[in-house]
């Protein structure tokens, strides 16, 4: 196993470099929301290089020059990069009105082909949708569709959420959601692959369940989670999908990661990995696990742990091979994985986020 500090390939990067990371094939995408930039790295013959830096258009109404937040979330699949922008700041006292909570929110969703270095990112979200409190915080793509959480996107249903579905050619297509109390914070935890969207339900009578929709047929179903998983605690901390497998991690340090095969009629658990809760990322035949539960229901950006373990699983069809990769006395912001590489963004109090790339031996 070899470890490389990707940040050394971006000497101009600031402390928010690595706030979000995503990987697919030979491409690594790293968000730097403090500078409203997204770095695209590519691997050639085993060597990583920075291919380009993506910035929002100069006339962008949300994240134009001098406005941080672009790159708060990133995703990549095939030839498509998806970018979420989000920024929250206090309003000036003169700008506040009665009933106002005193904060200004900026958010948007963008997309750009991986190989298109000439043009800038395409703004997919319209302004009426981007008023949501958590719009742009999380994002996922399967190379065709883009999914993003839409929190508080309906002013009349404060606290309620949905998932916006976008495409590069059509922009905003529609919203996927629920009509009852289970829609609160819906869209906070999502994953997408092969036109199948999975959404964790975090509150209400369906809390702990996972909504699955085929984006082509629009057929919906709820995942039949195992009795063991529900007994351990129904809360969901992280989802990741590499079709047809869905990985579900809970918030308990003792709760095993659940692995479901979605193309089977009974949707029974295929494997169970005994590991602390944690954030998971899956791609192809590999799985990365950040072995520490995240306090935040929105992806675990800000919880500090005395010790964080990074685990790597490959050959996900039994027998499964397992490797403990690294450990940190820091808070891990995010993880990403492809078949041959594992990535971790690790927070350092002196220099900010450090993005490590691990070349895993087969």
């Amino acid at each position: 196993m070899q470890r490389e500090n990707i940040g050394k390939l971006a000497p101009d990067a600031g402390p928010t470099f690595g706030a979000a990371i995503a990987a697919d094939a030979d491409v690594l995408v790293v968000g730097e929301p403090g500078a409203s930039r997204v770095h695209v790295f590519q691997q050639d013959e085993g060597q990583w290089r920075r291919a380009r830096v993506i910035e929002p258009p100069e006339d962008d109404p949300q994240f134009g020059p001098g406005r941080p937040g672009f790159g708060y979330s990133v995703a990549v699949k095939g030839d498509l990069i998806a970018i979420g922008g989000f920024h929250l700041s206090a309003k000036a006292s003169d700008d506040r009105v009665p009933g106002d909570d005193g904060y200004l929110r900026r958010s948007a969703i963008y997309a750009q082909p991986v190989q298109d270095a000439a043009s800038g990112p395409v703004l997919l979200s319209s302004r009426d949708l981007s008023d949501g409190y958590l719009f742009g915080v999380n994002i996922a793509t399967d190379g065709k569709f883009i999914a993003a959480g839409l929190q508080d996107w309906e002013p009349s249903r404060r606290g309620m959420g949905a998932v916006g579905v976008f495409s590069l050619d059509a922009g905003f297509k529609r919203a996927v959601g629920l009509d009852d109390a289970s829609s609160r914070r819906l869209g906070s935890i999502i994953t997408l692959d092969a036109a199948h969207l999975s959404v964790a339900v975090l509150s209400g009578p369906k809390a702990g369940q996972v909504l699955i929709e085929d984006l082509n047929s629009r057929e919906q179903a709820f995942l039949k989670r195992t009795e063991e998983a529900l007994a351990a605690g129904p809360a969901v901390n992280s989802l990741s999908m590499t079709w047809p497998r869905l990985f579900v991690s809970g918030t308990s340090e003792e709760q095993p990661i659940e692995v479901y095969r979605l193309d089977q009629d009974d949707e029974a658990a295929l494997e169970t990995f005994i590991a602390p809760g944690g954030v998971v990322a899956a791609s192809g035949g590999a799985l990365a696990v950040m072995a520490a539960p995240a306090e935040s229901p929105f992806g675990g950006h800000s919880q500090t742990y005395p010790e964080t373990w990074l685990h790597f699983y490959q050959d996900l069809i039994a027998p499964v091979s397992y490797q403990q990769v690294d450990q940190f006395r820091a808070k891990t912001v995010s993880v990403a994985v492809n078949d041959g590489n594992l990535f971790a963004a690790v927070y350092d109090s002196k220099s900010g986020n450090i993005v490590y790339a691990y070349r895993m031996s087969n």
Side-chain angles (χ1 to χ4, degrees):
M1 180 189 69
Q2 297 177 336
R3 188 178 81 171
E4 180 180 357
N5 184 354
I6 295 294
K8 292 183 178 180
L9 303 177
D12 56 342
T16 61
F17 175 83
I21 59 175
D24 183 60
D26 59 354
V27 175
L28 170 66
V29 180
V30 180
E32 186 188 358
S36 276
R37 302 194 302 175
V38 171
H39 304 255
V40 181
F41 300 88
Q42 289 189 291
Q43 190 178 46
D44 297 319
E45 297 182 353
Q47 300 297 316
W48 288 99
R49 63 178 179 84
R50 184 168 67 173
R52 67 183 187 278
V53 175
I54 303 173
E55 297 179 332
E58 291 189 1
D59 59 351
D60 187 278
Q62 303 282 4
F63 299 101
R67 292 186 170 186
F70 177 84
Y72 192 95
S73 58
V74 295
V76 60
K77 186 72 173 183
D79 191 43
L80 186 63
I81 297 174
I83 302 169
F86 176 76
H87 184 68
L88 177 70
S89 60
K91 289 183 178 179
S93 57
D94 294 342
D95 295 333
R96 300 184 182 184
V97 297
D100 193 346
D101 65 1
Y103 289 95
L104 175 68
R105 301 170 177 85
R106 296 197 304 270
S107 52
I109 298 297
Y110 307 80
Q112 181 171 355
V114 171
Q115 303 301 330
D116 185 359
S119 62
V122 177
L123 177 64
L124 299 182
S125 60
S126 58
R127 192 168 181 83
D128 60 333
L129 286 175
S130 62
D131 290 335
Y133 176 71
L134 286 173
F135 188 86
V137 167
N138 56 347
I139 197 166
T141 185
D142 64 352
K144 176 184 177 182
F145 294 105
I146 295 171
L150 306 177
Q151 297 298 305
D152 289 345
W153 74 295
E154 291 184 1
S156 62
R157 301 176 68 215
R158 194 70 176 169
M160 301 297 111
V163 179
V165 179
F166 304 81
S167 68
L168 181 60
D169 57 348
F172 178 74
K173 297 173 70 69
R174 61 191 177 88
V176 175
L178 300 171
D179 294 329
D180 57 22
S182 295
S183 65
R184 184 171 182 82
R185 294 188 296 156
L186 191 73
S188 301
I189 300 175
I190 61 176
T191 186
L192 170 64
D193 195 31
H196 286 78
L197 172 68
S198 295
V199 185
V201 182
L202 302 179
S203 63
K206 296 184 177 68
Q209 298 190 44
V210 178
L211 173 66
I212 301 173
E213 175 170 321
D214 182 328
L215 296 181
N216 288 320
S217 67
R218 301 195 180 187
E219 294 181 357
Q220 290 187 351
F222 283 96
L223 179 72
K224 299 175 183 178
R225 296 182 67 192
T226 65
E227 294 182 3
E228 293 83 359
L230 295 176
V236 175
N237 176 61
S238 180
L239 296 173
S240 189
M241 184 189 300
T242 176
W243 182 259
R245 291 181 178 82
L246 174 67
F247 300 83
V248 183
S249 71
T251 56
S252 168
E253 293 188 15
E254 303 301 325
Q255 189 170 341
I257 295 170
E258 307 152 48
V259 184
Y260 297 91
R261 182 155 182 146
L262 301 183
D263 60 350
Q264 296 179 349
D265 292 338
D266 58 4
E267 295 183 348
L270 176 67
E271 297 276 354
T272 299
F273 301 126
I274 305 300
V279 174
V280 295
S283 177
L287 173 70
V289 178
M290 186 189 79
E295 181 181 74
S296 167
F298 309 117
H301 279 270
S302 59
Q303 178 68 9
T304 302
Y305 306 99
E307 193 169 76
T308 296
W309 295 85
L310 185 61
H311 297 162
F312 178 79
Y313 300 87
Q314 57 186 358
D315 303 324
L316 294 178
I317 300 175
V320 175
S321 60
Y322 159 80
Q323 186 174 357
Q324 181 177 299
V325 178
D326 216 337
Q327 68 182 98
F328 315 102
R329 286 192 171 274
K331 58 184 181 184
T332 300
V333 176
S334 51
V335 292
V337 67
N338 62 23
D339 282 326
N341 299 281
L342 182 149
F343 308 92
V346 183
Y347 180 79
D348 181 272
S349 60
K350 296 181 179 179
S351 58
N353 292 317
I354 301 174
V355 177
Y356 289 117
Y358 302 84
R359 179 66 185 175
M360 309 304 299
S361 58
N362 295 323

